[in-house]
Amino acid sequence: MLTFTITAVREVIARGIADAKANGGFRDPHFGLSADSRKPGLWLVGDHGVYLCSNGELANGAKPLVAYAEECDPRSSDDWFEVKRQTFGGDDGVDFLDAEGLEALIAASPGCTHLGIAFLQDSMQLYVIERD
């Protein structure tokens, strides 16, 4: 399981929406293969660590906002590669997470502090967690 603070999730979504408004829409991580992902949301990326990435179009030279999983941040964990391999898998990849669905999940648990993502054999399970 990987966790992200709710604050970070909302910041990444908001940044994607702001970038989309300023720069003409949302990016498609699959280069035209998935028109469904051209809407507010975020990307769950497994690469050098595992992180959430904003999906709005970017101005030339701009970088998207990213938020690393607490357990898989190469800037603060020497074990990040093993954690990535055990959760996201050994290959790099991108999964789109719809903002509307995430906001509904968060709103259903007003005291939640973290988004949890469990990686199962053929799927991912998203849920919210309340930590002190």
Side-chain angles (χ1 to χ4, degrees), residues 31-126:
F31 304 104
L33 297 177
S34 176
D36 291 340
S37 68
R38 290 187 177 266
K39 59 186 175 184
L42 48 80
W43 299 340
L44 176 66
V45 180
D47 184 15
H48 190 76
V50 178
Y51 53 90
L52 303 175
C53 180
S54 60
N55 72 330
E57 281 291 343
L58 300 170
N60 281 343
K63 294 188 184 232
L65 179 63
V66 300
Y68 281 92
E70 292 180 335
E71 302 80 5
C72 197
D73 184 345
R75 301 169 302 176
S76 60
S77 172
D78 292 336
D79 297 330
W80 72 267
F81 183 79
E82 185 60 24
V83 171
K84 179 195 175 284
R85 190 185 65 72
Q86 290 177 358
T87 56
F88 194 91
D91 293 333
D92 293 349
V94 177
D95 286 302
F96 177 74
L97 304 178
D98 178 67
E100 186 176 326
L102 287 171
E103 287 294 349
L105 179 65
I106 293 166
S109 296
C112 66
T113 59
H114 290 76
L115 172 68
I117 303 178
F119 297 84
L120 308 175
Q121 187 70 19
D122 316 9
S123 62
M124 288 187 302
Q125 183 177 46
L126 280 66

